[in-house]
Amino acid sequence: VVEGSTFADLRRALEKHPEITVTLRGKSDAEVMSAIGRAGEFPEGRFFPDTYRFAARTTDVDLLKLAYTNMLRVLDSAWAQRDPTIPLKTPYEALILASVIEKETGLASERPMIAGVFTARLKKGMRLQSDPTVIYGIGQKYDGNIRSRDLTTDTPYNTYTRSGLPPTPIALPGRESVLAAVEPLDTGALYFVATGDGTGAHYFSKTLEEHNEAVRRYLVRLRRQNRK
């Protein structure tokens, strides 16, 4: 189960595995949650991404129960050691933020810094303006490109048009993203943008002017790469 994948991805993986006894095919997400004893809960983000070893013919229900319990254990442990100044009221809010952090970067070293940016924005009442939340809100209509109109089209998950956290997680966050959400690194930065250097790294800025310059550099590098 891969960090940053979605619950839909997880369901597809379970259904394709030759050694799993599939009992939930065709069921709605709500029916799946009822089957594992969690009726009424939204499934996204609630299953811990990890490598699972299991006996042949184990059911999809049993594996989902295990992944759910593991996420609950990781989340409860992280919440118990949280920074008391973070603007999060519940472990579920931490899970939501962790999922956004997970989708924003693949670099473990950056997760606490990205958490710090989002935490600072929440404290200041600034919108998160996170592209992955917009993409999640677009859903199956997303074609791999995010456009200006997508940023201004309101959905419950559009953090450009709505303040605060999205209503639910947007992916399955790993342990490091959960820990980053509750123990963010305050660098004073309020913005970040990809460097475009191929490493997956981001440039962090404290001011809008600095951020705009970083965006300009990124676009220049992107155009050069496209020409090549």
Side-chain angles (χ1 to χ4, degrees), residues 59-99:
T59 68
D60 46 7
V61 169
D62 286 338
L63 286 168
L64 286 173
K65 285 181 177 179
L66 176 59
Y68 183 100
T69 300
N70 285 355
M71 179 60 87
L72 199 61
R73 185 181 300 115
V74 168
L75 186 60
D76 285 346
S77 175
W79 186 252
Q81 66 187 55
R82 69 189 183 279
D83 180 340
T85 68
I86 59 174
L88 304 174
K89 299 182 180 65
T90 65
Y92 189 62
E93 288 190 350
L95 185 64
I96 293 172
L97 181 57
S99 73

Side-chain angles (χ1 to χ4, degrees), residues 16-145:
K16 290 178 180 178
H17 200 290
E19 301 297 342
I20 294 174
T21 299
V22 177
T23 67
L24 299 171
R25 193 188 310 272
K27 302 287 187 182
S28 68
D29 285 354
E31 289 172 323
V32 171
M33 295 307 284
S34 292
I36 68 170
R38 297 291 175 174
E41 293 186 5
F42 190 75
E44 194 67 83
R46 292 187 181 273
F47 300 88
F48 187 64
D50 201 354
T51 299
Y52 290 90
R53 291 175 171 82
F54 54 91
R57 295 181 295 282
T58 297
T59 68
D60 46 7
V61 169
D62 286 338
L63 286 168
L64 286 173
K65 285 181 177 179
L66 176 59
Y68 183 100
T69 300
N70 285 355
M71 179 60 87
L72 199 61
R73 185 181 300 115
V74 168
L75 186 60
D76 285 346
S77 175
W79 186 252
Q81 66 187 55
R82 69 189 183 279
D83 180 340
T85 68
I86 59 174
L88 304 174
K89 299 182 180 65
T90 65
Y92 189 62
E93 288 190 350
L95 185 64
I96 293 172
L97 181 57
S99 73
V100 180
I101 296 166
E102 185 71 55
K103 295 299 289 184
E104 284 286 6
T105 183
L107 299 182
S109 61
E110 286 194 345
R111 288 176 188 138
M113 292 187 289
I114 285 180
V117 170
F118 287 143
T119 297
R121 281 178 162 261
L122 288 171
K123 286 181 177 180
K124 290 178 175 292
M126 298 174 66
R127 291 175 179 172
L128 297 186
Q129 297 184 321
S130 168
D131 289 359
T133 67
V134 176
I135 292 169
Y136 190 83
I138 294 172
Q140 294 182 350
K141 295 179 180 178
Y142 179 63
D143 63 3
N145 293 310

Side-chain angles (χ1 to χ4, degrees), residues 150-191:
D150 297 321
L151 304 182
T152 57
T153 300
D154 184 54
T155 75
Y157 291 89
N158 190 336
T159 52
Y160 283 82
T161 61
R162 300 197 181 196
S163 300
L165 296 167
T168 73
I170 61 171
L172 310 180
R175 186 189 307 272
E176 296 305 316
S177 291
V178 173
L179 291 173
V182 298
E183 294 183 301
L185 179 62
D186 182 10
T187 64
L190 290 170
Y191 309 88

